[in-house]
Amino acid sequence: MTLPELPATKVKLSPSSYLATSIAVAAARVLARQKPKHIRAALENLRTGARPATISEAQHARDSVLTFSPRCSGEQACLQRSIASVLLCRMRGVTPTWCVGVLTTPPFTAHAWIESEGRSIGEELDSTCYQRLIKVGPTQ
């Protein structure tokens, strides 16, 4: 997406939440530079032992990332933002579904987002507007 993202609500981060969010954002920045198969493998390994994130848990993680990092709020930041949200959720013992896809109608723009309980989290467009190419969800 080309529009900057803003958190649904600005999150007041405690010192421990600030530290966890900073680690998630930094790790996501490194991971986002990897090939898609490596990102997928890393997220598949991390999901082990985590329960599925609720909508509120996933939204809180995403809002924390957006509150903490102007880089993740910026244009073309969906990959780092979505990975950081997954990593932050995982630090809290849960995992949302991480998705990468393209718009189904022109322009065929790539996008990365998170979902919980079958719904996209904090996205302007519904996930049905995208053709999913990669999906990493909680283990069953």
Side-chain angles (χ1 to χ4, degrees), residues 1-4 71-81 109-110:
M1 303 296 293
T2 58
L3 298 174
R71 179 183 300 270
C72 288
S73 301
E75 296 178 5
Q76 307 295 323
C78 61
L79 183 59
Q80 184 180 354
R81 176 174 57 246
T109 305

Side-chain angles (χ1 to χ4, degrees), residues 16-47:
S16 61
S17 292
Y18 184 90
L19 179 60
T21 305
S22 67
I23 291 168
V25 168
R29 185 173 184 192
V30 172
L31 196 53
R33 294 179 180 161
Q34 304 303 310
K35 292 179 181 180
K37 68 179 182 178
H38 294 139
I39 297 170
R40 180 183 201 154
L43 295 180
E44 285 175 345
N45 286 333
L46 287 172
R47 71 185 178 179

Side-chain angles (χ1 to χ4, degrees), residues 30-123:
V30 172
L31 196 53
R33 294 179 180 161
Q34 304 303 310
K35 292 179 181 180
K37 68 179 182 178
H38 294 139
I39 297 170
R40 180 183 201 154
L43 295 180
E44 285 175 345
N45 286 333
L46 287 172
R47 71 185 178 179
T48 305
R51 68 172 175 76
T54 64
I55 290 173
S56 63
E57 289 168 330
Q59 185 69 58
H60 187 267
R62 186 178 186 277
D63 290 345
S64 296
V65 167
L66 290 171
T67 298
F68 174 81
S69 175
R71 179 183 300 270
C72 288
S73 301
E75 296 178 5
Q76 307 295 323
C78 61
L79 183 59
Q80 184 180 354
R81 176 174 57 246
S82 64
I83 293 170
S85 298
V86 170
L87 296 176
L88 187 56
C89 278
R90 188 59 190 100
M91 287 182 209
R92 296 174 177 161
V94 298
T95 189
T97 300
W98 179 73
C99 302
V100 176
V102 293
L103 279 173
T104 55
T105 58
F108 297 105
T109 305
H111 186 51
W113 68 97
I114 61 170
E115 295 180 351
S116 179
E117 300 174 19
R119 294 177 42 199
S120 59
I121 304 299
E123 296 296 328

